[in-house]
Amino acid sequence: MPLAYVASYVVVIGPVDLWQLLARPRIAELLRNTITLAVACMAATAALGVALAVAVERTDLPARRLWHGLLVAPLAVPAFVNGYAWVSLDRGIQGFGGAFAVVTLSYYPLVYLPVVAMLRRLDPALEETAFSLGHSRARTFRTVVLPQLRPALLGGALLVGLHLLAEFGALSLLRFPTFTTAIYDQYGSTFNGAAATAMAGVLVLLCLVLLLADLRLRGDRRYARVGRGAARTAVPLALGPWRLPVLATVGAVVVLALGVPAFSLLRWLVAGTSTEFPVAELTAALAATLVLALAGAVVTTLAAIPVVWLAVRHRGWASTVIERSTYVANALPGIVVGLALVVASLRLVPVVYQTAGLLVAAYAILFLPRAVVTVRAGLEQAPVVLDDVSHSLGLGTLATARRVTLPLIAPSLGAGAALVFLAISTELTATLMLSPIGTSTLATEFWSASSELRYGAAAPYALLLVLVSIPATVLLMRTDSPAARTETVPA
Amino acid sequence: MTTPPRRATPRTAAALAGTLLAASALSGCGVFGSPDLVVYNAQHEQLLDEIIPLFEEESGLDVELRNGKDLEMANQIVEEGEDSPADVFLTENSPAMSIVDNAGLFAELPESATATIPDEYVPAGRTWTGFLARSTVAMYNTDSMTEADMPASILDFADPEWAGRVAFSPTGADFQAIVSAVLELEGEEATAEWLEGLKANGVIVQNNLVVMQSVDSGEVDAGIAYHYYWYRDRQENGTDSDSSALHFFGDQDPGAFLSISGAGILASSEHQDAAEEFITWLTGTEAQQAMAESYALEYPLNPDASLSPEVKPFDELEPPAVDVAGLNGPQVTELMTAAGLL
């Protein structure tokens, strides 16, 4: 629907005006900024994610489990909180360098997690075969291990790219204009102007390019093992003299990605002339966030069930289209969905405008893919034969669903809901545009304080945002499921 | 992550109950009933949070604020049209008032609401009224500059000598109001040229606070903003203003432009009486003095109220004469988009 909105608006503007809106230096500048940052961050997160995953999974690094926990932990710190933490320590980091560093430190777990999961599942026999053929460690890694990591690596990098295209809060704080921040600026000046919509069109195109590139790169190779193989862990690589440098590097990443935000946050909590502790407002924002996130999670997960059901149990072109279209929606930044829903609701159904229901609908559009991926994994593992058995024992379709299928997919429903909950609780742009009168969430309150440079006042909201994100992060750490493919939200 | 299947149902039920509760609570038809007055507020949230309780106490009315930015909210009200939930619209700068006014959505204010405000701050049709004013200023870094190094006119910042030395925040309505004054006073061509020069020279920052910080830290030598940011910081702790000073252009220069915060009542409002009561209170001496004594440090427009003497007195500002109703927001946005600032 938001796609339809952007497309229809583009038609309304007309080609001549559209060309005038797009063929201007500012667009070139934004395009350069957006693409440079996306490519640089995807490369950096990929390199960092793989290196860290290998160090933790495949070497004799001391305290590996602890490091694993610490390396995943930054997922619980939304990127815009991270940006705030850095900027409030030193404004000198604004611009490309700062944006690149902060975004990389915020998003590398999106690559790290799936790569770790993949490394754990690899059959070491392949590597041992390569050794026995006289290949060196390095060459084996390059020719045997790395190709097998490809889907995890690509999936992670794709997510980083999509997150980055939609990232607003962190980049706005770090003063690095991209399409998303420019759309928001235009929205602030014109509410629903042609320029904002034209930019939204470019942004959506960029997202689609990324999705297509991912599909092409992934190809249709098969990565599954033939036969069971033995699920053993590979022999860890002895680091020897490299032990200290590797340890120092991993430690440095943890300090930068976790230590700095923690330090900055605590500092602002304690100090800051503008720090009061407005308990009432904090509680109200927390309650609104929890209620919205809960409602959104339930609605989104329920909406995911039929999509998945069709995709898995009734394969056909229609169900494929439905499922794939939810992935396209995954490439829609919150700002575009927000813009589309504001206009659509005002024009078509003014009754729902500025209601909680519309906001929840926006969340469902934005985060349905996350739920679909997770629930789908659950349903695919629920054998059809059990349904058949149940039918043969005389149970109807509904009863079967209730007594056989639902219990089987309940864990994945829970995981999907948790993911959506996490995404909603840190969503910023669509919430800013659509929230009902008098409702503010943790994210919007944090944003209003930090963008006015009231760093002390922003701190308690930032802390609560982190706390709200922790449970889902823990859940992600403990799972090897495709849930690890979807993660925190682009603000 | 395993949920015993038995618990899935109560949890879903609880979540559904939560959803219903949320929907009713958040749509404003919850336990509190609907508010007596909905104010779309684009003035500083902090200021309204300070004064609204005073009005609520005095009137016994329950006021609900929706906060946003000037132009965003103005355009939103136009988009909402007859269905707008807003009763009253408050802005930081007048171009946003003009957008709503030009769409014919304001009701005419009663005499009582504008009685205390000088005529030059009320448009001829009395469709809205000014209630506060802010003076355009340039800030400069006192370590690298003196008052004598500052230009005579704000238009001079477009000269090449200022390359990389002047900070401003083009995405905010604050700066766009200044552009609208330049447009009104100097014409379209001169304005386009000035914007082009600023795009080439200027260091673009997020908002006026960052303008002040950039000047104070010496990242830039000068910046364009409004007077109160610097005075507020002085009043608080001075950490962002200790190495900077204000330069008032005066002399009817566009850079001495006085931007007016406006208040108006939507014709579509079903709470006309409450809205009129609110605007009358807002322009009255008590509220004007309360705002003058608040943290905000913007100039009250009611002559019976005044700011503390630390702030440059209102009658020494020498602003250019600008028709408050004549400032053109949309054209400014177009010019700025053309200049690549938006």
Side-chain angles (χ1 to χ4, degrees):
Chain A
M1 193 203 76
L3 273 179
Y5 153 77
V6 172
S8 70
Y9 207 109
V10 163
V11 172
V12 170
I13 295 172
V16 177
D17 287 351
L18 188 67
W19 178 246
Q20 273 187 338
L21 282 170
L22 291 180
R24 55 195 187 99
R26 174 72 171 167
I27 298 284
E29 183 189 350
L30 291 172
L31 205 56
R32 202 172 47 239
N33 280 357
T34 308
I35 291 175
T36 320
L37 190 64
V39 170
C41 285
M42 283 164 79
T45 49
L48 195 61
V50 171
L52 291 170
V54 170
V56 169
E57 278 301 309
R58 288 301 181 87
T59 67
D60 59 351
L61 196 73
R64 282 165 31 186
R65 294 199 54 158
L66 171 74
W67 287 120
H68 177 64
L70 289 172
L71 285 171
V72 178
L75 276 183
V77 184
F80 59 98
V81 172
N82 208 353
Y84 145 87
W86 282 89
V87 162
S88 62
L89 282 179
D90 176 16
R91 284 214 332 284
I93 70 153
Q94 292 177 326
F96 177 79
F100 169 71
V102 170
V103 172
T104 303
L105 287 171
S106 293
Y107 289 155
Y108 78 84
L110 296 180
V111 176
Y112 170 83
L113 259 182
V115 171
V116 164
M118 196 64 113
L119 278 171
R120 282 184 190 167
R121 283 201 298 263
L122 289 185
D123 187 348
L126 286 171
E127 290 160 68
E128 286 153 15
T129 311
F131 286 142
S132 70
L133 293 170
H135 289 189
S136 66
R137 274 267 181 195
R139 180 161 174 195
T140 303
F141 182 78
R142 213 178 49 239
T143 55
V144 177
V145 181
L146 212 48
Q148 294 188 84
L149 294 179
R150 208 164 108 157
L153 183 58
L154 282 177
L158 170 75
L159 273 181
V160 171
L162 289 178
H163 275 299
L164 205 129
L165 289 180
E167 178 61 55
F168 164 73
L171 296 177
S172 184
L173 286 170
L174 290 160
R175 277 175 27 196
F176 189 73
T178 61
F179 275 105
T180 298
T181 63
I183 291 171
Y184 196 78
D185 289 341
Q186 274 282 352
Y187 173 82
S189 303
T190 57
F191 189 62
N192 160 37
T197 317
M199 287 185 196
V202 177
L203 186 57
V204 170
L205 280 180
L206 284 176
C207 293
L208 292 178
V209 165
L210 207 56
L211 276 178
L212 286 173
D214 177 66
L215 282 174
R216 287 295 302 273
L217 283 171
R218 214 170 272 241
D220 43 13
R221 294 205 214 172
R222 296 187 35 191
Y223 297 93
R225 283 191 203 172
V226 181
R228 274 284 164 85
R232 296 174 288 127
T233 44
V235 183
L237 168 68
L239 287 168
W242 288 95
R243 199 167 186 163
L244 268 179
V246 170
L247 201 56
T249 312
V250 175
V253 171
V254 170
V255 167
L256 291 175
L258 209 59
V260 171
F263 166 78
S264 179
L265 244 177
L266 290 174
R267 197 189 80 156
W268 284 111
L269 270 177
V270 175
T273 46
S274 54
T275 300
E276 307 141 28
F277 224 75
V279 176
E281 272 116 57
L282 278 168
T283 316
L286 180 63
T289 303
L290 292 177
V291 164
L292 280 170
L294 199 66
V298 170
V299 169
T300 311
T301 313
L302 289 178
I305 294 174
V307 174
V308 171
W309 184 265
L310 285 173
V312 175
R313 295 287 158 92
H314 301 274
R315 282 167 206 254
W317 66 267
S319 59
T320 309
V321 167
I322 291 176
E323 197 209 11
R324 281 296 146 85
S325 64
T326 61
Y327 284 102
V328 173
N330 197 17
L332 282 179
I335 197 144
V336 180
V337 172
L339 200 59
L341 284 179
V342 165
V343 177
S345 65
L346 278 170
R347 302 258 163 90
L348 308 171
V349 264
V351 176
V352 301
Y353 172 68
Q354 277 189 13
T355 58
L358 189 68
L359 187 54
V360 169
Y363 291 148
I365 293 173
L366 279 170
F367 305 127
L368 188 64
R370 286 159 214 257
V372 166
V373 168
T374 321
V375 176
R376 178 171 186 161
L379 189 64
E380 281 186 330
Q381 284 159 1
V384 185
V385 71
L386 292 182
D387 289 14
D388 298 342
V389 170
S390 155
H391 284 303
S392 71
L393 292 171
L395 281 180
T397 310
L398 275 179
T400 300
R402 194 170 52 83
R403 292 176 54 179
V404 179
T405 321
L406 204 58
L408 282 171
I409 62 169
S412 67
L413 285 180
L419 272 177
V420 175
F421 182 94
L422 176 70
I424 292 176
S425 58
T426 54
E427 206 286 333
L428 183 61
T429 39
T431 314
L432 283 173
M433 290 180 177
L434 297 168
S435 65
I437 292 183
T439 304
S440 30
T441 67
L442 291 175
T444 60
E445 283 292 314
F446 166 80
W447 181 247
S448 101
S450 61
S451 57
E452 286 177 11
L453 309 189
R454 291 184 288 127
Y455 293 140
Y461 293 103
L463 183 69
L464 283 173
L465 275 167
V466 172
L467 291 179
V468 164
S469 308
I470 286 175
T473 307
V474 170
L475 179 105
L476 277 170
M477 265 170 70
R478 292 174 32 194
T479 146
D480 253 9
S481 79
R485 280 196 30 121
T486 56
E487 217 314 74
T488 50
V489 64
Chain B
M1 169 69 215
T2 48
T3 322
R6 275 177 301 108
R7 282 183 40 214
T9 326
R11 231 181 38 177
T12 314
L16 280 173
T19 313
L20 288 173
L21 193 73
S24 63
L26 293 176
S27 60
C29 57
V31 270
F32 304 113
S34 60
D36 303 307
L37 196 64
V38 174
V39 176
Y40 271 31
N41 170 47
Q43 240 295 352
H44 287 273
E45 200 177 324
Q46 202 178 337
L47 174 64
L48 272 290
D49 284 345
E50 247 177 81
I51 65 161
I52 289 286
L54 302 178
F55 174 71
E56 284 181 319
E57 201 170 323
E58 200 165 312
S59 64
L61 296 170
D62 166 34
V63 181
E64 184 79 70
L65 282 180
R66 183 181 180 89
N67 296 294
K69 299 193 190 95
D70 273 9
L71 299 164
E72 174 192 336
M73 288 201 125
N75 286 299
Q76 187 173 353
I77 288 173
V78 172
E79 195 82 52
E80 287 166 357
E82 288 299 300
D83 301 321
S84 178
D87 299 312
V88 168
F89 183 35
L90 303 179
T91 64
E92 283 194 29
N93 305 285
S94 63
M97 297 308 281
S98 300
I99 289 178
V100 177
D101 200 10
N102 294 340
L105 296 173
F106 280 135
E108 192 179 324
L109 295 175
E111 287 278 0
S112 62
T114 57
T116 59
I117 304 292
D119 287 347
E120 61 260 46
Y121 309 122
V122 182
R126 229 177 333 112
T127 42
W128 56 272
T129 176
F131 71 101
L132 286 175
R134 57 268 299 279
S135 172
T136 311
V137 294
M139 297 171 181
Y140 61 93
N141 181 289
T142 46
D143 299 332
S144 63
M145 307 269 295
T146 63
E147 172 74 27
D149 299 327
M150 292 303 279
S153 167
I154 198 167
L155 300 179
D156 299 340
F157 282 133
D159 296 345
E161 64 172 288
W162 285 98
R165 294 172 57 206
V166 57
F168 70 123
S169 172
T171 53
D174 283 4
F175 181 78
Q176 292 173 20
I178 298 171
V179 180
S180 71
V182 173
L183 178 64
E184 175 81 0
L185 295 161
E186 308 287 327
E188 188 174 338
E189 207 170 310
T191 308
E193 232 169 273
W194 182 63
L195 289 173
E196 217 165 292
L198 275 183
K199 165 81 179 167
N201 291 346
V203 174
I204 292 177
V205 300
Q206 209 179 330
N207 57 42
N208 287 340
L209 276 166
V210 187
V211 168
M212 178 166 72
Q213 287 191 333
S214 310
V215 172
D216 206 67
S217 67
E219 288 165 64
V220 288
D221 291 331
I224 300 170
Y226 287 125
H227 74 279
Y228 57 85
Y229 290 94
W230 191 85
Y231 286 115
R232 276 181 202 175
D233 194 69
R234 271 294 145 104
Q235 198 173 51
E236 234 177 63
N237 54 22
T239 46
D240 287 329
S241 60
D242 50 2
S243 309
S244 56
L246 292 187
H247 170 69
F248 286 85
F249 289 100
D251 199 22
Q252 285 80 44
D253 185 75
F257 166 64
L258 205 58
S259 187
I260 305 300
S261 297
I265 298 174
L266 279 298
S268 59
S269 160
E270 285 160 18
H271 307 113
Q272 293 290 337
D273 292 349
E276 287 179 5
E277 189 181 344
F278 176 68
I279 306 276
T280 306
W281 177 84
L282 189 69
T283 54
T285 307
E286 184 202 347
Q288 289 276 303
Q289 192 56 44
M291 287 190 281
E293 285 168 14
S294 76
Y295 88 103
L297 300 179
E298 297 189 44
Y299 294 104
L301 289 178
N302 179 332
D304 294 333
S306 59
L307 281 176
S308 68
E310 288 95 77
V311 184
K312 188 177 177 107
F314 192 59
D315 50 12
E316 290 175 24
L317 294 174
E318 304 170 3
V322 175
D323 173 12
V324 283
L327 297 178
N328 186 326
Q331 199 187 348
V332 165
T333 310
E334 274 168 41
L335 282 169
M336 291 182 66
T337 300
L341 289 168
L342 278 179

